[in-house]
Amino acid sequence: MDKIYGFTHYSFFTEMSELAAQHGSFDLSLGLPDFDIDERLKTFLKEAADLDTYHYEPLAGSPLLIESIIRFNAKRKNMISLTSNEITIVPCATFALYTALKSILNQNDEVIIIQPSYYTYGPSVVMNGGIPVYYDLENNFTINWDHFNNCISEKTKAIIINSPQNPTGKIWKQKDWNQLYDLIKNREIYVISEEIYDTYCYDEAEHYSALLHPELKNRTFSIFSFGKMFHTSGWKVSYMLTSKDLTTKFQFHQQYISYSANAPAQYAIAKYLEVFDPVINKNIMQRKRDIFNELIKETPLQVEQKAEGSVFQVVNFRNISKTMTDVEFSKWLTIDKKVACLPLSAFYNSRYDSDYIRFSFAKKDELIVQALEHLKKSL
């Protein structure tokens, strides 16, 4: 268990944001929105305070919210058909990832993690007695399926997918899920699919859940986040979808860890989900992405691939420096040039440099404009 202390990537996230605050920099480092939530959400939360929402909800979650989730997913363009015993309300996506792994892993089972990836994946595997096996995406952030296949062994028990992906903004399409299934169809390998940016798929792209693959559905845990959808991460309400059998296993462990999630927030989200329009949500964030990408063209920083989804944009900085590591460049940009970002190496377990930095565009339009105008003048 001492292996857990070897993971230090979280320090990048806290350090860059702290540097931004210390030096009065425009902070585009973290995916924390700086704009207000929908007033209707506040109204529903106030309404919850006047109702009997002070006690635990059932283990699976609020029945009201579960029914809202069923209806919401049935209205997707790529419809996800659900029953109530395939849904679990959880405190957050990280909890769902950890508990899904606990439901399936035995000691020294291997779990494939696609890098760059969010910093919680490796630690969650290790804390559950598993062994992380890292696969690095190609230079254009795509999967070489032959190389990926080399990561699969007799010990492989699970694969963690994130789509739309943080930090690259890539989206898994139906053909990707088909390709994955072809590699694992004759093996007992589970899929943990973190789909927390599902409402942020841009241009012509549509979210395509792992659950839509008929053969993968019974071996997949799909994780969604109301915190990301509604910019309410502090409310601590997310949800997980999986088969009835895997839901039973998941909830068996869940009852000993958190039992249930925030009850008043579950009520407010259930009510809001009935009036929520994901197209409006997507258009707002796509406009922010486009503002960012138009303005960054006026700087030496280079966007090689526009984000297909998520709230992040990866940018190549080598036109400015051939010698600095991405960590050194990120600190220089934050301290000297007053715009905070994250180094892409923060999303790798063992890579200490890259050609890329990551910005968040989940910010007020004026902050994005001010930050990029400042870079235009200073770089």
Side-chain angles (χ1 to χ4, degrees):
M1 193 54 70
D2 285 348
K3 292 179 182 178
I4 192 65
Y5 300 113
F7 292 97
T8 59
H9 291 76
Y10 181 67
S11 63
F12 283 115
F13 293 75
T14 55
E15 182 179 0
M16 300 311 295
S17 191
E18 288 171 358
L19 282 176
Q22 290 169 12
H23 295 275
S25 304
F26 301 104
D27 193 355
L28 303 182
S29 64
L30 303 182
L32 298 175
D34 61 352
F35 45 86
D36 205 358
I37 64 174
D38 192 322
E39 287 295 326
R40 292 175 294 179
L41 264 171
K42 297 180 185 179
T43 299
F44 289 135
L45 189 61
K46 291 172 184 175
E47 189 177 303
D50 293 328
L51 301 173
D52 184 19
T53 57
Y54 307 124
H55 306 293
Y56 294 124
E57 289 288 3
L59 177 62
S62 158
L64 185 68
L65 181 52
I66 287 172
E67 288 303 314
S68 291
I69 288 170
I70 291 172
R71 288 191 291 271
F72 173 77
N73 281 280
K75 290 187 290 187
R76 292 181 187 269
K77 186 169 183 179
N78 293 320
M79 182 183 74
I80 303 174
S81 180
L82 298 165
T83 59
S84 60
N85 54 19
E86 296 172 321
I87 302 169
T88 306
I89 312 303
V90 294
C92 63
T94 299
F95 171 90
L97 174 75
Y98 175 88
T99 309
L101 288 166
K102 183 163 287 295
S103 304
I104 57 175
L105 289 188
N106 294 311
Q107 194 71 24
N108 295 325
D109 281 343
E110 293 180 353
V111 179
I112 297 174
I113 298 172
I114 298 172
Q115 296 188 126
S117 65
Y118 195 53
Y119 72 93
T120 60
Y121 294 176
S124 291
V125 172
V126 168
M127 286 192 293
N128 281 294
I131 299 172
V133 174
Y134 297 100
Y135 167 79
D136 288 4
L137 292 171
E138 299 294 292
N139 291 335
N140 61 352
F141 302 126
T142 60
I143 292 178
N144 180 314
W145 290 104
D146 290 332
H147 294 169
F148 185 88
N149 191 39
N150 292 334
C151 294
I152 300 173
S153 74
E154 294 302 315
K155 294 182 178 180
T156 303
K157 193 61 172 289
I159 300 168
I160 301 176
I161 312 293
N162 178 206
S163 173
Q165 204 220 22
N166 175 16
T168 68
K170 286 288 190 179
I171 295 174
W172 274 52
K173 317 297 194 302
Q174 183 177 4
K175 61 181 174 56
D176 297 307
W177 296 114
N178 290 338
Q179 188 76 50
L180 177 65
Y181 178 69
D182 285 343
L183 295 183
I184 66 174
K185 61 185 176 183
N186 296 320
R187 300 172 180 267
E188 187 185 348
I189 296 176
Y190 294 90
V191 174
I192 299 176
S193 180
E194 192 178 60
E195 304 175 25
I196 63 176
Y197 296 106
D198 58 308
T199 57
Y200 303 121
C201 297
Y202 307 129
D203 303 318
E204 301 306 312
E206 291 286 345
H207 176 252
Y208 196 91
S209 175
L211 294 170
L212 295 175
H213 192 287
E215 285 84 8
L216 284 177
K217 180 178 180 179
N218 289 330
R219 59 166 88 181
T220 295
F221 299 85
S222 284
I223 301 167
F224 297 83
S225 170
F226 291 120
K228 295 296 186 289
M229 285 173 66
F230 304 147
H231 320 302
T232 54
S233 56
W235 288 18
K236 304 301 285 182
V237 182
S238 296
Y239 68 101
M240 193 206 64
L241 308 178
T242 190
S243 68
K244 177 182 176 182
D245 289 344
L246 289 180
T247 295
T248 299
K249 289 184 177 181
F250 181 95
Q251 292 179 3
F252 180 86
H253 292 279
Q254 178 194 5
Q255 66 182 321
Y256 300 120
I257 306 174
S258 78
Y259 192 79
S260 61
N262 183 326
Q266 286 192 60
Y267 173 88
I269 289 170
K271 300 288 283 186
Y272 183 67
L273 202 57
E274 295 299 319
V275 298
F276 172 67
D277 186 347
V279 174
I280 295 174
N281 214 35
K282 180 198 81 167
N283 289 342
I284 289 172
M285 206 63 74
Q286 180 173 321
R287 188 191 74 246
K288 293 178 183 297
R289 180 206 63 172
D290 292 345
I291 291 171
F292 178 93
N293 278 286
E294 281 302 309
L295 291 175
I296 207 165
K297 290 176 183 177
E298 301 175 18
T299 77
L301 295 166
Q302 183 180 5
V303 173
E304 296 175 348
Q305 298 180 73
K306 191 183 293 187
E308 297 176 328
S310 81
V311 298
F312 306 106
Q313 181 63 60
V314 171
V315 175
N316 190 310
F317 67 88
R318 288 302 177 196
N319 285 339
I320 300 174
S321 174
K322 306 289 186 188
T323 57
M324 280 192 277
T325 66
D326 62 353
V327 173
E328 292 168 340
F329 185 86
S330 296
K331 291 181 178 179
W332 173 78
L333 199 73
T334 301
I335 297 170
D336 291 13
K337 301 304 176 183
K338 305 301 182 185
V339 177
C341 61
L342 281 179
L344 200 68
S345 60
F347 298 86
Y348 287 86
N349 180 62
S350 56
R351 182 178 293 187
Y352 300 104
D353 192 16
S354 77
D355 296 335
Y356 300 96
I357 52 179
R358 189 205 76 174
F359 291 100
S360 168
F361 50 81
K363 306 295 178 181
K364 292 177 182 175
D365 292 358
E366 53 264 39
L367 178 64
I368 298 171
V369 172
Q370 289 169 2
L372 272 295
E373 289 290 342
H374 184 76
L375 285 182
K376 176 183 174 181
K377 296 173 184 175
S378 62
L379 290 178

